[in-house]
Amino acid sequence: AMAGGLEPHLEALRRELPGPAVLSVLVALLAGRRSSRKAVLLLGLCDAGKTLLFARLLSGRYRDTQTSITDSSATYRVSQDKSTHVTLIDLPGHESLRLQFLERFKAAARAIVFVVDSVAFQREVKDVAEFLYQVLVDSTVLRNAPALLVACNKQDVTMAKSAKLIQQQLEKELNTLRVTRSAAPSSLDGSATGGPAQLGKKGKDFDFSQLPMKVEFVECSARGSKGEEGEADLEGLEKWLVKVA
């Protein structure tokens, strides 16, 4: 559709440029669509620590947060030169709200940070996998394939699970979900469209490398080991943001 809208301009270009040059102009125009996606979405269940992470990235300071019922967005400068920036958008994690907010912002997502509470993970693994599954089979997300970071938060707490264990458990849960979901006769919204997209590769146990987007895991702590007075440990997350910006 986009190329159709460019047709008159391409015609003019064709008259002035040799064949291959027109092609490179078109490729540049289509590639520009990715650069227009400037949002980094912060997703996750309630109490995973998204809002504190959001505040820490923007100001470096600790602040008390409450469960969000709407989105918050702000410009985040990823480097000292100030010209490279993304829009960080913190989305509510409440079960009744999270999918409608994802729906609203998913098309603008250049990247997604999926925040996991590493302390409550064992208890919440099914809910975490369920939400992540809904994100990963979304047709817009699959088509745009934004980079995905699973941020294993609250690593300052002794009971926190490691990123490696969280990855293994999520792959196992997503594999189970995939089997039960693909057996369901209708799609999530109840229409008989043959169900949502297939996750991963058919006939193989699911792992994150099978997805169209690059998936990485980091350990972080929005609170920091000294709590409110200390620094947050977000180095892995900040490096990743520089990379995807």
Side-chain angles (χ1 to χ4, degrees):
M2 182 169 174
L6 297 167
E7 202 51 56
H9 306 288
L10 285 174
E11 204 38 63
L13 280 168
R14 272 192 203 102
R15 284 197 295 271
E16 291 174 35
L17 296 170
V22 174
L23 186 63
S24 61
V25 169
L26 184 58
V27 168
L29 286 164
L30 291 172
R33 294 175 74 179
R34 181 179 176 273
S35 61
S36 67
R37 293 201 302 271
K38 274 289 188 189
V40 175
L41 308 184
L42 295 180
L43 307 179
L45 303 188
C46 273
D47 298 325
K50 296 184 303 300
T51 305
L52 180 55
L53 209 59
F54 177 74
R56 283 284 209 184
L57 283 169
L58 293 168
S59 70
R61 287 192 293 278
Y62 178 88
R63 69 176 170 90
D64 285 322
T65 60
Q66 290 166 322
T67 299
S68 313
I69 54 164
T70 186
D71 57 283
S72 308
S73 63
T75 300
Y76 173 73
R77 309 272 173 203
V78 293
S79 57
Q80 296 309 309
D81 69 3
K82 299 278 187 271
S83 63
T84 311
H85 65 273
V86 292
T87 305
L88 281 183
I89 307 180
D90 172 29
L91 303 187
H94 194 279
E95 198 176 349
S96 62
L97 298 171
R98 58 189 180 224
L99 287 178
Q100 72 188 60
F101 278 93
L102 175 64
E103 190 62 37
R104 191 180 301 176
F105 292 107
K106 64 189 181 184
R110 183 186 198 80
I112 292 173
V113 178
F114 192 94
V115 186
V116 173
D117 180 336
S118 309
V119 180
F121 179 72
Q122 214 64 56
R123 190 175 72 245
E124 295 180 342
V125 61
K126 282 189 163 41
D127 292 339
V128 173
E130 177 79 35
F131 184 26
L132 188 54
Y133 180 88
Q134 290 170 315
V135 173
L136 294 175
V137 296
D138 184 278
S139 56
T140 306
V141 174
L142 282 171
R143 187 173 61 247
N144 291 344
L148 173 67
L149 182 76
V150 179
C152 306
N153 191 24
K154 306 191 184 181
Q155 290 290 325
D156 52 296
V157 182
T158 327
M159 304 291 288
K161 298 284 179 268
S162 70
K164 194 169 178 51
L165 184 124
I166 287 171
Q167 177 173 349
Q168 288 166 347
Q169 293 268 19
L170 279 176
E171 285 177 338
K172 218 163 114 184
E173 277 300 323
L174 287 165
N175 196 49
T176 308
L177 265 175
R178 177 176 72 165
V179 175
T180 53
R181 286 297 168 85
S182 59
S186 64
S187 66
L188 295 175
D189 61 4
S191 60
T193 53
Q198 171 75 24
L199 192 68
K201 292 206 169 84
K202 233 184 172 130
K204 284 192 171 180
D205 281 349
F206 172 77
D207 70 66
F208 285 103
S209 68
Q210 297 164 2
L211 294 169
M213 70 283 287
K214 189 169 169 54
V215 183
E216 292 176 64
F217 282 71
V218 298
E219 295 181 355
C220 63
S221 167
R223 223 185 137 76
S225 53
K226 295 191 182 71
E228 301 176 22
E229 278 73 54
E231 292 281 307
D233 175 15
L234 302 177
E235 196 187 344
L237 173 55
E238 288 169 335
K239 280 183 177 162
W240 182 83
L241 284 167
V242 170
K243 212 162 56 176
V244 299

